[in-house]
Amino acid sequence: MTGSNDRNDKGDGEDTTVTNIYRPIRPNPNPISPSELLNRYNKLLDRYPLRTKMITSAVVSAFGSALGSFLSSSNTNNNKPSNDKRQSPSRINWVDVFSYAIHGGLINAPICHYWFEWLATNGPSSNTSSVLVDQLVVQPPLLVLMFV
């Protein structure tokens, strides 16, 4: 039995083909450039703005929580004096990761989406004033809501 596809004749007239799972994986000869990836993301933002922002916010929030959890657990493990030479593996708190993803995707992204749309049409004309209004009016309640 050689080659990437081997025939398996059962003798009942049915011919099945078994794929060899040990063939090497070839890299993609035409990888997507970062600028093309950014163009695709911007097209998604134009076509589905709220959905794209919700998914992006959920992924970024979850990644930030996982990274923070990983780094804080590995930092804690390195500071403990121990007679045991084995290091306990770094732990990620998956409940926190899931919670941050839900908060980022279902709460923070929609509120910020509609808030910034409203602020762009009805808010101050100065960018500095818009940032000040955003940071004083909407961000404090969102911060409190994150920890509730």
Side-chain angles (χ1 to χ4, degrees), residues 3-38:
S4 65
N5 288 333
D6 296 324
R7 291 178 55 129
N8 183 9
D9 293 326
K10 295 181 180 177
D12 57 0
E14 187 177 319
D15 204 16
T16 60
T17 303
V18 179
T19 303
N20 185 354
I21 60 172
Y22 297 108
R23 60 191 157 151
I25 298 173
R26 295 184 189 122
N28 186 357
N30 301 321
I32 298 174
S33 69
S35 63
E36 176 62 26
L37 205 58
L38 188 59

Side-chain angles (χ1 to χ4, degrees), residues 63-121:
F63 180 74
S65 175
L67 184 63
S69 181
F70 175 78
L71 291 175
S72 67
S73 69
S74 65
N75 212 8
T76 306
N77 290 340
N78 291 340
N79 292 337
K80 288 181 182 175
S82 173
N83 294 335
D84 189 9
K85 296 296 179 192
R86 293 176 290 166
Q87 291 288 327
S88 62
S90 296
R91 303 262 180 209
I92 294 176
N93 187 343
W94 293 107
V95 173
D96 280 355
V97 171
F98 184 70
S99 299
Y100 274 90
I102 293 297
H103 174 80
L106 296 180
I107 297 170
N108 197 28
I111 290 173
C112 287
H113 170 78
Y114 291 115
W115 165 246
F116 284 118
E117 276 188 355
W118 183 88
L119 194 61
T121 57

Side-chain angles (χ1 to χ4, degrees), residues 129-141:
S129 299
S130 292
V131 169
L132 188 63
V133 168
D134 172 56
Q135 293 296 310
L136 294 176
V137 174
V138 172
Q139 295 309 317

